[in-house]
């Protein structure tokens, strides 16, 4: 029997159609895993209460707290955990809602807590072929395991809580083929920043990206998650990577991963997921990883990005571009290297995993954070924190003069009070350099963990290859 | 949700491209647990000075922008975070439609669920609208047409989204009505 070759995305989509889309109605798509957190769920639970609805499948729903939670150990484990009253109320409301609706919550002091996009894969909840949603745009992270994972708004959080389904139009497909070997000092973050620079921050709108090719397969799971994480910064609905032996080895033995015969059955299913030879994508581009360099952003969105040795572009007569450079305090034509740095942040759902901390520590070992620079290292989860401490990475950071914190979103968006001061320059391993993202008037330069660590050591924008 | 068939208003023009949801509503205002009252924080860091006093040079602070229900923004509106607080802030402020050449997927989806009409127009129409702040514009949802004093443009509006907007239908009711099919799917998939 011959069948039309299908993409990974199409296989996952079709397997979750409760009802296929028609001209006048979107598809009804079943959701296998719904992750919730304190910021985007309260109003959804309010709707459930108003309409006297239950959570349809509490066993497919998991909650954590990450955005507005403190990262100072004495605040997390001390007497008065959350200083910001509104944030404390939000956290309490999540506790009340999860208890009332029977949803498992990894609360503030739980040793499995962490950033929602770090713990999903880490606990083995995220698996190939699943549909995963969360009221958070970086849900695209989970696509690194071959899941179809995307961010939704709070109204849709309510839909999934009540019906375990979403109404969705089928997105288009976009293949990004990455071949070639990554040069030393260049990694997943540089790749995705380079892709966003090339296709633009709206370049993936309406599409699900599949990252393919030998360059992608050469990445470990942490690197693949970094790539998929920032798919949303190119406007894409989701990013996906076909599961392979690297994926299976990562999942094997994790808390919620299948075991025994279930594992064997799951493997058989997962091995059938990769895109069939001859399947067509709506759009394709090719990237040669061997030509990549460490990348750094210079403007106020992730598409404003250059190789670290480059100069800030000139776009005379473009007022929006000029406004962006004025916010950043940069001039057209200026080299970005050697620009002074005030803060370095290593963490977030983009780069808060163990491999990221290892990379940052590899440059910091035996060195000091430059005088006057604040460096914050925030592991993505409590498990990442424990694993890093078991390897002595915490000692490397502390001896270099960096701060070592409890897990959370922290300075990526500063909801918990971990903020960059007005006018200060932060080299950050997070995902967004929007105006004010890390604090009112804060100036963000997005970069890899290696680059961030190099900048911390020199107190200036530094090519990490100079310290390797 | 209130049914919307047509919108008629003068336009407020914000000639900035790539307006992200962190600008529409900065993260520090996301600690709320309700949907209401976010309009006062809309575009907070552009709209107010450090002292909290409105900046006279910000587009929405000009007298002509007062009472406008249609926001015309630069290219590519609503990128970034999935926070539904963005359309909540825009509607609480009084906007009923946002016009751009491209609108980010999650923002567009969130807008439709809150009676904020996302209108994607061609570059020529967009340029005319940007150059004519305060123009009288009408948006007809039945025909998905935006009319302005110098012409008109059709915009893409997915049939189901149009049906929901025109009839004030919310998607949750529709999904709850598919119970039989959802239960059948769960039966096939072995989900209990």
């Amino acid at each position: 029997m011959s069948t039309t070759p299908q993409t990974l995305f199409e296989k996952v989509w079709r397997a979750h159609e409760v009802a296929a889309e028609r001209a006048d109605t979107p598809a009804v798509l079943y959701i296998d895993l719904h992750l919730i957190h304190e910021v985007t769920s309260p109003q959804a639970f309010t709707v459930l209460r108003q309409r006297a609805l239950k959570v349809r499948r509490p066993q497919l729903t998991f909650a954590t707290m990450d955005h507005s939670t403190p990262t100072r150990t004495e605040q997390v484990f001390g007497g008065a955990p959350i200083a910001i009253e509104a944030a404390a109320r939000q956290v309490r409301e999540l506790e009340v809602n999860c208890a009332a609706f029977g949803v498992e919550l990894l609360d503030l002091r739980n040793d499995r807590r962490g950033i929602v996009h770090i713990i999903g894969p880490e606990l083995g909840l995220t698996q190939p072929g699943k549909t995963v949603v969360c009221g958070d745009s970086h849900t695209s992270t989970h696509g690194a395991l071959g899941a179809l994972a995307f961010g939704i708004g709070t109204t849709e959080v309510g839909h999934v809580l009540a019906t375990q389904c979403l109404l969705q139009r089928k997105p288009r497909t976009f293949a990004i083929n990455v071949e070639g070997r990554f040069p030393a000092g260049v990694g997943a973050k540089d790749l995705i920043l380079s892709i966003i620079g090339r296709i633009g921050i709206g370049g993936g709108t309406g599409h699900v990206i599949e990252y393919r090719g030998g360059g992608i397969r050469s990445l470990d799971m942490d690197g693949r998650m970094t790539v998929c994480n920032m798919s949303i910064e190119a406007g894409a609905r989701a990013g996906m990577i076909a599961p392979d032996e690297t994926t299976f080895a990562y999942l094997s033995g994790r808390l919620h991963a299948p075991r025994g015969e279930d594992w064997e059955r799951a493997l058989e299913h997962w091995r059938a997921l990769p895109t069939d030879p001859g399947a067509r994508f709506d759009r394709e581009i090719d990237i040669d990883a061997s030509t990549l360099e460490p990348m750094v952003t210079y403007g106020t969105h992730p598409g404003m990005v250059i190789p670290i040795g480059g100069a800030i572009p000139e776009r005379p007569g473009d007022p929006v571009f000029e406004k962006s450079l004025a916010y950043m305090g940069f001039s057209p034509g200026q080299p970005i290297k050697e620009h002074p740095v005030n803060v370095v942040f290593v963490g977030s759902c983009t780069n808060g995993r163990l491999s990221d901390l290892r990379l940052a520590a590899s440059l910091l070992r035996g060195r000091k954070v430059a005088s006057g620079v604040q460096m914050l290292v925030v592991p993505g989860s409590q498990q990442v924190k424990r694993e890093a401490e078991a390897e002595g990475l915490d000692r490397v950071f502390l001896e270099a003069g960096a701060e070592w914190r409890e897990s959370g979103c922290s300075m990526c968006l500063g909801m918990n009070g971990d903020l960059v001061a007005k006018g200060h320059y932060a080299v950050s391993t997070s995902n967004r350099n929007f105006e004010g993202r890390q604090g009112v008037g804060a100036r963000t330069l997005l970069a890899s963990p290696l680059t961030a660590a190099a900048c911390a050591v020199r107190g200036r924008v530094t090519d990490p290859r100079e310290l390797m | 949700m209130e049914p919307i068939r047509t919108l008629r208003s003068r336009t407020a023009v914000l000639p900035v491209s790539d307006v992200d949801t962190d600008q529409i509503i900065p993260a520090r205002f996301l600690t709320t647990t309700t949907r209401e009252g976010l309009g006062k924080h809309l575009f907070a860091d552009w709209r107010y000075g450090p002292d909290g006093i409105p900046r006279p040079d910000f587009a929405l602070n000009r007298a002509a922008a007062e009472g406008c229900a249609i926001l015309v923004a630069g290219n590519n509106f609503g990128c970034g975070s999935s926070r539904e607080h963005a359309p909540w802030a825009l509607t609480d402020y009084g906007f009923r439609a946002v016009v751009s050449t491209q609108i980010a997927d999650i923002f567009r989806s969130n807008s439709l669920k809150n009676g904020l009409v996302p209108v994607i127009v061609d570059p020529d129409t967009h340029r005319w609208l940007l150059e004519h702040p305060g123009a009288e514009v009408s948006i007809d949802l039945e025909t998905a047409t935006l009319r302005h004093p110098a012409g008109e443009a059709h915009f893409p509006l997915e049939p189901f989204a149009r049906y929901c907007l025109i009839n004030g239908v919310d998607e949750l009711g529709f999904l709850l009505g598919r119970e039989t099919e959802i239960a059948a799917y769960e039966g096939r998939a072995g989900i209990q």
Side-chain angles (χ1 to χ4, degrees):
Chain A
M1 191 179 75
S2 76
T3 50
T4 315
Q6 290 182 7
T7 63
L8 164 64
F9 159 73
E10 281 159 347
K11 292 180 193 183
V12 181
W13 176 277
R14 284 200 185 176
H16 290 85
E17 281 176 337
V18 168
E21 69 176 352
R22 301 187 317 194
D24 58 348
T25 46
V28 178
L29 203 65
Y30 199 82
I31 303 303
D32 295 321
L33 175 62
H34 186 198
L35 301 168
I36 61 176
H37 63 74
E38 76 276 23
V39 180
T40 56
S41 66
Q43 298 88 348
F45 282 108
T46 301
V47 169
L48 293 196
R49 285 201 177 85
Q50 284 165 348
R51 297 171 75 141
L53 294 165
K54 295 191 297 192
V55 173
R56 183 183 177 87
R57 295 292 169 204
Q59 74 275 29
L60 302 181
T61 314
F62 291 85
T64 189
M65 39 184 73
D66 50 10
H67 282 67
S68 47
T69 50
T71 54
R72 288 187 188 279
T73 303
E74 65 274 18
Q75 273 181 285
V76 175
F77 295 104
I82 299 179
I84 301 169
E85 173 47 33
R89 197 165 51 236
Q90 206 166 47
V91 162
R92 273 200 305 276
E93 194 152 324
L94 183 66
E95 289 165 348
V96 168
N97 285 333
C98 287
F101 288 88
V103 173
E104 182 178 340
L105 168 67
L106 304 178
D107 63 12
L108 190 61
R109 296 186 181 90
N110 192 299
D111 63 6
R112 283 176 286 137
R113 190 185 64 84
I115 304 175
V116 62
H117 310 308
I118 305 264
I119 65 171
E122 186 176 80
L123 297 175
L125 289 165
T126 306
Q127 293 168 17
K130 277 191 176 182
T131 46
V132 181
V133 298
C134 174
D136 193 285
S137 59
H138 292 112
T139 307
S140 59
T141 314
H142 307 258
L145 288 92
L148 172 60
F150 52 91
I152 56 176
T154 297
T155 299
E156 289 182 321
V157 170
H159 295 175
V160 181
L161 288 174
T163 69
Q164 206 58 36
C165 288
L166 280 176
L167 289 164
Q168 292 283 306
R169 283 286 174 192
K170 197 172 181 177
R172 294 186 292 276
T173 53
F174 187 169
I176 298 187
N177 306 304
V178 183
E179 294 296 345
R181 285 169 68 110
F182 287 85
V186 178
K189 184 65 166 288
D190 304 299
L191 169 65
I192 189 62
L193 283 172
S194 162
I195 289 171
I196 298 162
R198 175 159 160 194
I199 69 174
I201 58 169
T205 303
H207 291 79
V208 168
I209 296 174
E210 182 182 332
Y211 303 94
R212 298 159 58 77
I216 294 298
R217 285 195 301 275
S218 75
L219 294 172
D220 65 10
M221 288 313 297
D222 289 1
R224 295 179 188 189
M225 287 188 244
T226 299
V227 172
C228 287
N229 171 274
M230 287 189 74
S231 303
I232 183 68
E233 308 321 327
R237 199 77 187 89
M240 300 178 83
I241 293 174
D244 60 7
E245 296 308 315
T246 305
T247 320
F248 309 145
Y250 172 90
L251 273 173
S252 175
R254 294 197 179 256
L255 185 62
H256 289 274
R259 288 171 196 283
E261 278 178 34
D262 288 344
W263 172 258
E264 295 305 322
R265 257 198 306 278
L267 271 186
E268 195 180 330
H269 166 53
W270 296 345
R271 289 208 163 102
L273 286 171
T275 295
D276 299 325
R280 293 176 66 92
F281 292 87
D282 295 306
R283 196 181 159 196
E284 288 199 52
I285 62 166
D286 298 318
I287 305 263
D288 179 359
S290 69
T291 64
L292 294 174
E293 293 187 68
M295 302 294 285
V296 62
T297 63
Y298 62 88
T300 51
H301 66 62
M304 300 175 81
V305 63
I306 49 175
I308 198 157
I312 288 160
E314 304 184 42
R315 285 199 212 147
D318 180 343
V320 175
F321 185 76
E322 284 166 13
K323 178 175 173 288
S324 175
L325 288 198
Y327 178 87
M328 293 301 294
F330 288 148
S331 312
Q334 174 189 350
I336 198 155
K337 245 174 70 175
E338 301 301 324
H339 195 281
V341 168
N342 307 100
V343 178
V344 171
F345 171 59
V346 174
S348 85
C349 60
T350 310
N351 281 130
R353 297 177 193 83
L354 187 60
S355 310
D356 302 311
L357 302 188
R358 283 178 182 154
L359 283 169
S362 72
L363 269 193
L364 281 175
R365 197 167 277 121
R367 294 192 171 105
K368 294 280 179 202
V369 173
S371 143
V373 173
Q374 180 196 18
M375 182 176 187
L376 206 64
V377 184
V378 183
S381 70
Q382 296 305 103
Q383 182 173 327
V384 169
K385 182 168 189 269
R386 282 192 303 276
E387 288 170 350
E389 288 173 350
E391 294 182 14
L393 301 185
D394 57 325
R395 297 312 312 167
V396 176
F397 293 122
L398 289 166
E399 282 163 17
E403 296 172 46
W404 177 245
R405 299 281 188 96
E406 303 298 327
S407 67
C409 301
S410 182
M411 203 179 261
C412 175
L413 80 170
M415 271 193 77
N416 69 338
D418 292 343
L419 290 164
V420 176
K422 188 175 180 184
H424 278 196
Y425 289 87
V427 175
S428 178
T429 66
S430 54
N431 41 59
R432 288 183 177 141
N433 50 342
F434 297 148
E435 278 185 40
R437 171 83 176 179
Q438 295 189 288
V440 177
R443 293 153 161 173
T444 303
L445 281 68
L446 301 176
S448 73
L450 265 183
T451 301
C455 296
V457 168
R458 299 263 332 278
R460 292 174 177 274
V461 176
T462 301
D463 187 330
R465 294 171 297 192
E466 293 169 16
L467 299 181
M468 287 169 68
Chain B
M1 209 164 69
E2 290 289 309
I4 317 169
R5 208 163 277 272
T6 53
L7 285 168
R8 207 179 295 273
S9 166
R10 283 177 300 109
T11 58
V13 171
L14 181 62
V16 181
S17 55
D18 304 317
V19 174
D20 59 74
T21 53
D22 275 84
Q23 305 320 312
I24 299 170
I25 181 86
R28 62 185 182 280
F29 303 115
L30 306 187
T31 49
T32 177
T33 53
T34 66
R35 294 168 185 246
E36 293 78 28
L38 287 166
K40 60 181 176 292
H41 304 308
L42 178 69
F43 297 118
D45 292 337
W46 288 347
R47 196 166 140 202
Y48 307 108
D51 43 11
I53 294 175
R55 295 175 200 265
D57 58 340
F58 181 62
L60 299 190
N61 290 335
R62 298 196 185 115
E66 205 171 307
C68 294
I70 300 174
L71 176 66
V72 178
N75 296 322
N76 191 36
F77 189 84
C79 56
S81 148
S82 63
R83 59 188 72 166
E84 198 160 319
H85 309 68
W88 293 337
L90 285 158
T91 52
D92 189 56
Y93 183 87
F95 287 118
R96 293 292 170 266
V98 177
V99 184
S100 179
T101 50
Q102 185 173 43
I103 296 179
D105 289 333
I106 307 179
F107 176 83
R108 186 172 47 81
S109 165
N110 285 340
S111 296
L112 288 167
K113 292 172 181 63
N114 289 280
L116 179 69
V117 185
V119 181
I120 297 168
V121 292
D122 60 273
D124 288 339
T125 302
H126 188 237
R127 194 173 312 117
W128 191 93
L129 290 169
L130 283 178
E131 286 167 359
H132 296 83
E136 276 289 342
V137 165
S138 73
I139 293 169
D140 179 353
L141 295 185
E142 201 84 58
T143 60
T145 310
L146 176 146
R147 292 188 182 84
H148 60 80
E152 64 176 45
H154 289 280
F155 59 90
L157 186 60
E158 195 270 308
F160 184 72
R162 173 167 56 197
Y163 167 81
C164 289
L165 286 169
I166 289 176
N167 297 290
V169 169
D170 83 81
E171 289 186 8
L172 181 53
F174 182 87
L175 273 171
L176 290 166
R178 309 293 288 262
E179 171 57 33
T180 313
E181 286 154 285
I182 297 171
Y185 177 92
E186 289 179 329
R188 290 196 301 278
I191 298 162
Q192 304 156 14

